[in-house]
Amino acid sequence: MLGTMKGDLRAMDVESSSEEEDEDAEGVEDDGFQVVPHPTESPKKSRFGFLTSLRSLVGSRSLTQEDIDPIMEKMKDHLIAKNVASDIAVKVCESLAGKLEGKVLGTFQSVSATVKTAMQDSMVQILTPKRRVDILRDVMEAQKQKRPFVITFCGVNGVGKSTNLAKITFWLIENGFSVLVAACDTFRSGAVEQLRTHCRKLNALHPPEDHGGRPMVQLYEKGYGKDPAGIAMEAINHARDTHIDVVMVDTAGRMQDNEPLMRALTKLIAINQPDLVLFVGEALVGNEAVDQLVKFNRALADFSQMENPRLIDGILLTKFDTIDDKVGAAISMTYITGQPIVFVGTGQSYGDLKNLNAKAVVTALLK
């Protein structure tokens, strides 16, 4: 694991073309359309089952809205089954229908290929961030300004905020940056101790003697029952005074409907103005994570006293390795917020952190 996370994070794996070719070779129908069996389906059933209804549309005439509507209805059901929020599935299908209407398609193979390509283009476009979050570059820019780069983590209880904070800390240490972890979860019993354990393990992996005698990760904590916004401010000032590169602000897990805790989070963000506010959501719960994200953003807007309130800047999806092909929450969260999925957590070790690969998500979504 040591030395494996230097530079930009690796993207999630995408199915190899050779695998797809092997699958395609399993069956060919008379019209030349490749039938790809799904592991749970009979060999004669297309992997893109909702596309079989396109068979009646081959010919030289243009596709009409009446032709497309039944296919889009099946596609919508397919996306919802993969955890895409229903209203977003409708919008994706409407966008796709607009691209298909009026097209003249000859063979079933060309119809199928056109629909799949249009679907892939639509969803890759959703998942491709409108702005790129380049943390390594931004940390170096903050160094030039002689200040720490500050990341605040927020989310509901039990989604793995502290563990994934530690993963990102490990990645930053691997790239030569020192980190101060600010223990601003002053609410949950054991939260400080959990962070202390992570800091100890990380310093064991990157001992001070390998870095000029300086610990690469330190913990800033003031115990429980204190004001989280004040602790974050003290930690940032301490990092600036001691030339620590990055401050990771851990906050209490809170349900999106808990007004006192949401007000406390809004205060922490408004006072300290972190460089990056990351929402940590669990991929496993699907559309519940979408609801959490929407309500977090709404609360940050409603409780802020600022004219332009600070909202979520990016998303970290945890437990991405547990969801098989039900990846629709990634589409939904990005579509709703317009913010990028900056990281995906893919396991329990510090090295199990990756960048989102939009094409890999779309491949899984279209299975």
Side-chain angles (χ1 to χ4, degrees):
M1 184 167 63
L2 284 176
T4 62
M5 297 185 73
K6 290 179 180 176
D8 291 335
L9 287 170
R10 293 193 307 276
M12 294 160 39
D13 294 332
V14 64
E15 289 182 12
S16 69
S17 56
S18 60
E19 266 185 325
E20 291 169 354
E21 286 165 9
D22 290 344
E23 287 177 335
D24 288 347
E26 291 185 33
V28 180
E29 294 193 357
D30 292 340
D31 60 4
F33 175 63
Q34 303 286 347
V35 177
V36 185
H38 188 277
T40 60
E41 296 171 346
S42 65
K44 288 290 180 184
K45 186 174 180 182
S46 170
R47 179 179 178 186
F48 298 86
F50 55 87
L51 296 179
T52 56
S53 51
L54 289 164
R55 288 187 179 281
S56 61
L57 304 183
V58 298
S60 58
R61 67 183 180 85
S62 300
L63 291 179
T64 66
Q65 191 68 44
E66 290 73 26
D67 294 328
I68 296 166
D69 282 347
I71 291 96
M72 292 302 101
E73 187 63 29
K74 290 183 180 181
M75 178 188 163
K76 182 190 75 175
D77 293 341
H78 176 86
L79 294 176
I80 291 170
K82 296 297 181 80
N83 270 344
V84 177
S86 57
D87 55 335
I88 292 165
V90 168
K91 288 173 183 173
V92 169
C93 290
E94 287 173 351
S95 170
L96 179 58
K99 294 179 180 178
L100 292 175
E101 190 173 0
K103 283 193 176 291
V104 178
L105 301 160
T107 66
F108 175 57
Q109 188 170 11
S110 67
V111 174
S112 170
T114 300
V115 172
K116 284 186 281 188
T117 299
M119 287 169 67
Q120 287 168 342
D121 289 348
S122 293
M123 285 181 280
V124 167
Q125 187 175 6
I126 291 170
L127 284 168
T128 302
K130 296 175 179 63
R131 64 182 183 88
R132 184 165 180 248
V133 176
D134 189 335
I135 291 176
L136 298 182
R137 179 200 63 196
D138 293 344
V139 172
M140 287 188 282
E141 190 60 36
Q143 282 179 325
K144 293 176 185 175
Q145 299 168 16
K146 301 189 183 308
R147 66 173 184 84
F149 184 83
V150 181
I151 306 175
T152 294
F153 295 77
C154 62
V156 303
N157 305 294
V159 295
K161 278 194 309 303
S162 299
T163 300
N164 283 277
L165 179 153
K167 290 180 187 180
I168 297 172
T169 299
F170 177 69
W171 172 58
L172 290 167
I173 295 170
E174 285 271 285
N175 283 280
F177 298 119
S178 55
V179 177
L180 181 67
V181 177
C184 296
D185 181 353
T186 64
F187 183 76
R188 177 174 64 91
S189 176
V192 175
E193 289 73 20
Q194 184 180 11
L195 291 176
R196 184 176 288 116
T197 298
H198 281 305
C199 289
R200 187 177 67 248
K201 289 180 177 178
L202 290 165
N203 277 322
L205 290 168
H206 277 275
E209 52 267 29
D210 292 348
H211 300 276
R214 184 186 192 188
M216 291 301 284
V217 56
Q218 300 176 49
L219 179 66
Y220 191 93
E221 58 94 2
K222 294 293 182 180
Y224 297 96
K226 307 286 174 50
D227 175 26
I231 295 173
M233 180 182 289
E234 290 176 20
I236 294 166
N237 289 334
H238 175 74
R240 182 183 291 109
D241 294 341
T242 56
H243 309 293
I244 295 173
D245 300 317
V246 183
V247 178
M248 310 283 268
V249 180
D250 185 41
T251 65
R254 64 204 74 212
M255 295 309 292
Q256 60 271 31
D257 300 317
N258 185 322
E259 182 174 327
L261 284 178
M262 289 307 303
R263 284 187 180 277
L265 177 64
T266 305
K267 176 185 173 185
L268 184 151
I269 292 171
I271 288 175
N272 293 288
Q273 288 297 302
D275 296 282
L276 189 64
V277 179
L278 281 183
F279 176 83
V280 185
E282 190 178 289
L284 195 61
V285 299
N287 290 315
E288 187 180 329
V290 178
D291 180 63
Q292 292 164 2
L293 175 58
V294 169
K295 289 182 176 176
F296 260 74
N297 252 345
R298 187 180 303 148
L300 290 175
D302 290 348
F303 299 144
S304 175
Q305 304 299 313
M306 301 167 65
E307 186 176 337
N308 296 307
R310 185 68 182 279
L311 305 179
I312 303 297
D313 297 315
I315 301 159
L316 192 165
L317 272 182
T318 69
K319 306 180 185 178
F320 211 80
D321 54 315
T322 65
I323 58 171
D324 191 29
D325 58 359
K326 290 184 168 56
V327 296
I331 293 276
S332 299
M333 294 172 93
T334 307
Y335 190 98
I336 284 173
T337 64
Q339 301 300 342
I341 295 174
V342 184
F343 301 105
V344 289
T346 58
Q348 292 300 308
S349 76
Y350 292 138
D352 291 330
L353 188 71
K354 289 186 168 64
N355 279 328
L356 183 76
N357 182 329
K359 289 185 178 178
V361 172
V362 171
T363 298
L365 201 60
L366 298 183
K367 280 183 178 178

